[in-house]
Amino acid sequence: MDALAKLIERVMDERDWSLSTLARRSGISTSTLHSWKSGDRATGSRGPSPDLLRKFAEGAGLAVAEVFEAAGRHVPAALAPEEERRFLHLLRALSAEDRRVIEATMTAMRERKAQAG
């Protein structure tokens, strides 16, 4: 988490932003960013969620990979637009129950990979 704290500091210094400005721009609460910046592990045993890291990257104008690396998380693989469209088309054709099964399967696969790596 030290790398994430340093990244937050760098963004604030380079852009001359306060923590509240960064929070507003990223859509993440100031208290969450403060806990990341202070190295507080209260954000969960596995650190910040991927969704929050993506929001931070977007709000700070950083590459998602840079933010994930700083947080010590697995960097998500790039997904080509056509591949994403195919997956979404298939997903939308499923029932709500089947989508929940797919989501649970994908979550289990991600967690297994995180534990292995």
Side-chain angles (χ1 to χ4, degrees):
M1 292 293 276
D2 284 344
L4 183 58
K6 288 177 183 172
L7 184 60
I8 292 168
E9 285 288 337
R10 190 187 91 206
V11 167
M12 291 171 57
D13 288 344
E14 288 177 358
R15 290 163 177 77
D16 195 28
W17 288 351
S18 65
L19 195 61
S20 60
T21 299
L22 181 55
R24 187 180 76 256
R25 288 179 169 267
S26 61
I28 299 172
S29 72
T30 304
S31 62
T32 295
L33 286 176
H34 181 269
S35 66
W36 292 0
K37 191 171 166 267
S38 66
D40 183 4
R41 296 297 292 187
T43 56
S45 62
R46 293 169 8 128
S49 75
D51 290 339
L52 288 179
L53 291 173
R54 282 186 189 87
K55 288 174 79 172
F56 172 69
E58 184 176 323
L62 300 170
V64 171
E66 180 181 11
V67 173
F68 273 65
E69 286 174 14
R73 299 292 301 239
H74 168 73
V75 178
L79 192 61
E82 182 56 34
E83 188 177 19
E84 184 175 1
R85 279 190 290 276
R86 282 194 323 266
F87 277 109
L88 286 174
H89 176 75
L90 291 169
L91 192 63
R92 287 182 182 122
L94 297 175
S95 68
E97 181 179 340
D98 286 344
R99 286 193 304 268
R100 283 191 297 274
V101 170
I102 295 298
E103 181 181 6
T105 302
M106 292 171 72
T107 299
M109 291 170 73
R110 183 184 66 206
E111 289 173 358
R112 185 183 71 208
K113 183 172 180 116
Q115 290 173 353

